[in-house]
Amino acid sequence: MKQLDLCVIPGDGVGREVIPCAVEVLQCVAGNVRLVEADAGWDCFIRNGNALPDETIHAIETCTAALFGAVSSPSKKVEGYRSPIVQMRQRFDLYANLRPTRELAGADGMRRISGAPVDLLIVRENTQGLYIGREYMRGDEAVAERVITHSASERIAKIAFELANTRARRQLTIVHKANILPVTDGTFRDSARAVGAAFPEVKINELLVDTAAMLLASKPQQFDVIVTTNLFGDILSDVASVWGGGMGVAPALNIGQGVAIAEPVHGSAPDIAGKDIANPSGAILSAALLLRYHWHMPDEADRVERAVYAAIDQGVRTADIGGQASTRDLADKILSLL
Ligand code: NAI
Ligand code: MG
């Protein structure tokens, strides 16, 4: 069995509870996993004055794969602090963020939507838009620059079309706001459309972001793959995550030029941290994304995903998805199914 090198960065809060569960699952299905533990986040910043130490960057670089929990970030500017996840995305040019949502039935076993279950993938541009961090005051004006390039739009669209082409429905929706932002979002839309010409089998739709948000809340099953800019992708994937069981279940994978960082969509959840009640599913499903898209082990990825959904379907649910199981209970159930 090939050796998988994995940099493990639990971070802050519930990250330290859910990431160990995901590591156990990887060890269970993939066997030979070499772990390199690394530090990042707010506690790390308080201890070392740096939220993303050089050793951590080096460990990610040498492993090429990382599993990242979550970090606490202050919502006021703190001198010297920058969100490590945003830094990592830029440092390793992790330009694509994959955020799948699969419908999860309620605790009563009832589905909330009739017809085909929700099964969608949001492909979020990960390096540009409002997240470039160019914010400043100009007299009375608080300004944030929103940068979109043709080349970055093209490469994110290419990944999205490639992924859409591997899925049964082969359908891709380009989400933008080009009616209000014709220069920036016009660039994004036109670049994505041009890439589509090379994928004749993929059916292309286009939606304005507000309409997309409404449809994700009302008719989510109509979506297959969505490609969009950074902030829109961040918000829309949180909306979509509701159908998949919410924040505790939603997984994500950051990919780019060789390095991949998997991370549950949720944050450090200070309200529930340290109580052994956080849902480990988001972290475990993120590990499955590493198996599928970075290590090219689709069978193992399928096994992990099946085990997570089977454990939940059999009623082992943490509080966020309507049960009373602990983090450990759900992780143990998933491991026993594997
Ligand atoms: P959050 O995602 O930490 O929590 C939002 C809600 O979801 C809370 O009610 C929480 O209890 C619940 N939740 C989150 N993870 C869960 C899990 N595994 N199981 C069950 N319930 C879960 O977002 P919030 O509260 O806005 O932010 C808290 C901190 O996390 C902030 O410092 C924020 O900056 C940071 N954050 C970090 C992210 C990252 O590291 N990628 C992403 C989002 C927020
Ligand atoms: Mg978010």
Side-chain angles (χ1 to χ4, degrees):
M1 205 177 253
K2 73 173 170 184
Q3 175 180 297
L4 307 178
D5 295 325
L6 179 67
C7 176
V8 182
I9 312 168
D12 298 315
V14 296
R16 294 201 272 260
E17 297 166 56
V18 297
I19 292 301
C21 302
V23 169
E24 283 177 70
V25 165
L26 279 177
Q27 285 171 321
C28 176
V29 295
N32 191 4
V33 188
R34 189 181 68 92
L35 304 176
V36 180
E37 295 271 347
D39 205 2
W42 179 251
D43 285 353
C44 175
F45 174 73
I46 297 294
R47 270 182 278 113
N48 311 314
N50 186 351
L52 186 63
D54 289 344
E55 304 87 80
T56 301
I57 291 176
H58 180 72
I60 298 169
E61 220 156 32
T62 50
C63 292
T64 77
L67 188 54
F68 174 82
V71 296
S72 302
S73 291
S75 53
K76 282 200 179 123
K77 199 163 171 53
V78 172
E79 212 43 60
Y81 183 86
R82 267 193 80 206
S83 161
I85 188 69
V86 175
Q87 285 188 66
M88 288 190 284
R89 286 173 186 160
Q90 286 168 355
R91 175 71 173 69
F92 295 110
D93 201 16
L94 301 168
Y95 61 85
N97 192 314
L98 312 185
R99 296 189 164 188
T101 297
R102 238 188 251 175
E103 189 174 344
L104 192 74
D108 51 7
M110 296 289 282
R111 291 190 37 223
R112 286 162 297 178
I113 289 194
S114 58
V118 180
D119 183 6
L120 62 86
L121 173 66
I122 296 183
V123 180
R124 163 186 173 193
E125 203 292 322
N126 220 13
T127 57
Q128 302 203 313
L130 280 167
Y131 287 65
I132 54 168
R134 287 192 217 151
E135 259 203 314
Y136 49 87
M137 295 301 299
R138 189 168 56 205
D140 186 39
E141 292 176 335
V143 181
E145 290 181 20
R146 181 169 183 269
V147 174
I148 308 265
T149 65
H150 172 71
S151 55
S153 304
E154 206 171 60
R155 65 181 182 175
I156 190 71
K158 187 155 179 287
I159 285 204
F161 274 103
E162 280 167 3
L163 291 169
N165 212 13
T166 65
R167 293 165 65 96
R169 283 185 286 165
R170 290 200 165 88
Q171 185 191 309
L172 185 123
T173 307
I174 304 167
V175 173
H176 58 78
K177 190 73 181 175
N179 56 336
I180 303 295
L181 301 164
V183 178
T184 46
D185 272 21
T187 296
F188 181 78
R189 181 206 44 209
D190 295 347
S191 309
R193 276 207 163 270
V195 170
F199 296 87
E201 265 140 44
V202 178
K203 184 174 177 297
I204 308 176
N205 298 315
E206 231 181 82
L207 282 177
L208 295 174
V209 64
D210 38 358
T211 308
M214 184 270 289
L215 289 172
L216 272 173
S218 58
K219 292 184 181 145
Q221 66 279 57
Q222 75 173 53
F223 291 99
D224 184 17
V225 179
I226 291 174
V227 66
T228 190
T229 54
N230 208 337
L231 178 64
F232 295 163
D234 191 7
I235 298 170
L236 292 181
S237 56
D238 278 24
V239 176
S241 78
V242 171
W243 300 112
M247 275 294 118
V249 185
L253 184 69
N254 301 282
I255 53 174
Q257 330 257 25
V259 167
I261 302 182
E263 49 156 347
V265 172
H266 64 74
S268 58
D271 52 334
I272 59 165
K275 298 181 180 161
D276 190 32
I277 56 172
N279 190 337
S281 304
I284 294 170
L285 292 171
S286 300
L289 294 178
L290 265 183
L291 286 166
R292 187 179 304 285
Y293 296 113
H294 184 67
W295 289 317
H296 305 290
M297 298 168 71
D299 297 340
E300 286 79 359
D302 285 344
R303 280 182 62 206
V304 171
E305 288 171 0
R306 274 200 305 270
V308 169
Y309 288 103
I312 295 173
D313 281 344
Q314 289 172 33
V316 184
R317 289 173 173 254
T318 44
D320 58 308
I321 49 173
Q324 289 169 349
S326 67
T327 306
R328 198 62 251 169
D329 293 337
L330 180 47
D332 283 342
K333 179 70 187 176
I334 292 166
L335 286 164
S336 78
L337 290 168
L338 285 168

